[in-house]
Amino acid sequence: MSRIAGTRPVWAGPGRFDGGGVLLRHNRDTTAQAPGHGGGTVEAMTKTRSLILGLTGLILLTTACSGRSSATGAPSASGSGLSKVLFLGDSIAAGEALPLAAAFKASGVEFASIAADGGGNVVGPFSDKNWTKLPGQITSARPTVVIYQLTTYDWGSRQEQRAAYGRLLTTVSGAGARLVFVTAPPIRPDDFYRPHMPDLNRAPDAARAVAAGSSGKAGVLDARAVWGSTYRRVRDGKADRSTDGIHTCPQGAARFTHWVLTRLAKSFPGFTPAAPRAWANTGWSADDRFKGC
């Protein structure tokens, strides 16, 4: 349900946009109740207005740089090869899926997410259980592009990671889709994650190796362009990442969304992303999933 009145300010300012395992499940993958959202208050209207004003510089900058129209109506993505996107990942991806869904809808592209709290991984703990259903989920979704954001559970040796990512490529290709790996945001590891950081740090190279040998069927997007190489709580004076050191806040999720769509437009020339003002203020930022922001 869309709750515009409770929408948090997403943008930092004009032109500043770049950038089953219950026993092992990390408690940071559980969602918490967000502050209450009033309806029709002056404060709520002020937040909505600040969101729109913050978008103005970005919209003008994007239009000037790309030469594309900033119209808010959903364009057609037919002929681009990007008619339906399926998004895979863990609870970080589940939060990012909220603005992604709004942005792809505004861009005329079907979108579905099977990102999962406490898992969603194709290698590491509980991946065997995930694989019993994943091929069917991918095939039944009939995507043209599958995006897999590497998860905080992608634990394993280099060989295990490459084998799993190769298996994912085979599955996605067999469903007639292209695979896009996206590296995960850097985290602030605690005692739960610290022993597995060597695994998580080498996972992007394993994905790159699989993509390099895919004959163009897979690619890798390096999300350091969005997040940097280390966890950063605040960016441009606004909360970008959750205080839990793992998840994203609405501003970070929105920056990530804009970046993903912009990068996909380079790989799919017939795809024109909708202007941010078409999707940024549609209520998703009030979702209870955004905690610690």
Side-chain angles (χ1 to χ4, degrees):
M1 179 176 67
S2 176
R3 287 173 288 181
I4 299 297
T7 300
R8 298 183 179 97
V10 173
W11 309 106
R16 305 175 71 180
F17 195 79
D18 291 334
V22 175
L23 295 179
L24 272 178
R25 179 176 174 179
H26 195 283
N27 60 9
R28 285 175 179 166
D29 271 335
T30 60
T31 57
Q33 290 298 318
H37 307 298
T41 65
V42 172
E43 179 183 5
M45 288 187 290
T46 300
K47 289 181 178 181
T48 301
R49 178 173 172 77
S50 67
L51 172 62
I52 296 171
L53 290 177
L55 281 169
T56 303
L58 171 63
I59 294 168
L60 294 175
L61 181 61
T62 304
T63 303
C65 292
S66 68
R68 295 189 176 106
S69 168
S70 61
T72 59
S76 172
S78 61
S80 69
L82 193 69
S83 59
K84 184 172 184 180
V85 173
L86 181 64
F87 191 43
L88 283 62
D90 59 9
S91 59
I92 301 174
E96 295 164 339
L98 297 170
L100 281 170
F104 276 117
K105 180 179 179 180
S107 302
V109 175
E110 289 187 69
F111 176 82
S113 172
I114 55 173
D117 290 349
N121 49 316
V122 299
V123 60
F126 321 118
S127 58
D128 287 348
K129 183 176 181 179
N130 195 31
W131 274 111
T132 63
K133 57 185 178 181
L134 185 59
Q137 289 175 314
I138 293 174
T139 301
S140 63
R142 302 178 65 86
T144 55
V145 173
V146 172
I147 300 175
Y148 177 68
Q149 180 168 272
L150 307 186
T151 83
T152 57
Y153 296 97
D154 280 20
W155 309 341
S157 67
R158 180 175 289 101
Q159 292 75 19
E160 289 170 331
Q161 289 170 332
R162 288 189 62 169
Y165 298 155
R167 183 181 180 184
L168 181 61
L169 172 62
T170 299
T171 303
V172 170
S173 298
R178 290 173 61 179
L179 175 62
V180 177
F181 293 102
V182 180
T183 62
I187 66 174
R188 184 184 63 207
D190 60 4
D191 291 342
F192 178 82
Y193 281 115
R194 198 167 290 115
H196 304 287
M197 291 311 295
D199 298 11
L200 300 183
N201 289 337
R202 67 168 167 263
D205 283 340
R208 292 186 188 100
V210 169
S214 70
S215 301
K217 296 178 181 178
V220 179
L221 298 182
D222 190 338
R224 286 179 297 183
V226 179
W227 311 112
S229 57
T230 58
Y231 166 85
R232 184 174 172 181
R233 159 87 175 123
V234 175
R235 186 181 295 269
D236 296 326
K238 301 289 184 181
D240 207 60
R241 302 287 302 278
S242 171
T243 54
D244 66 12
I246 307 294
H247 299 92
T248 70
C249 289
Q251 173 177 274
R255 293 192 311 104
F256 173 79
T257 294
H258 177 72
W259 173 77
V260 167
L261 268 66
T262 300
R263 291 300 306 271
L264 289 176
K266 295 180 179 180
S267 298
F268 299 88
F271 169 58
T272 301
R277 67 183 179 191
W279 53 265
N281 193 41
T282 54
W284 58 266
S285 66
D287 195 277
D288 289 347
R289 181 172 287 278
F290 294 113
K291 57 190 183 294
C293 296

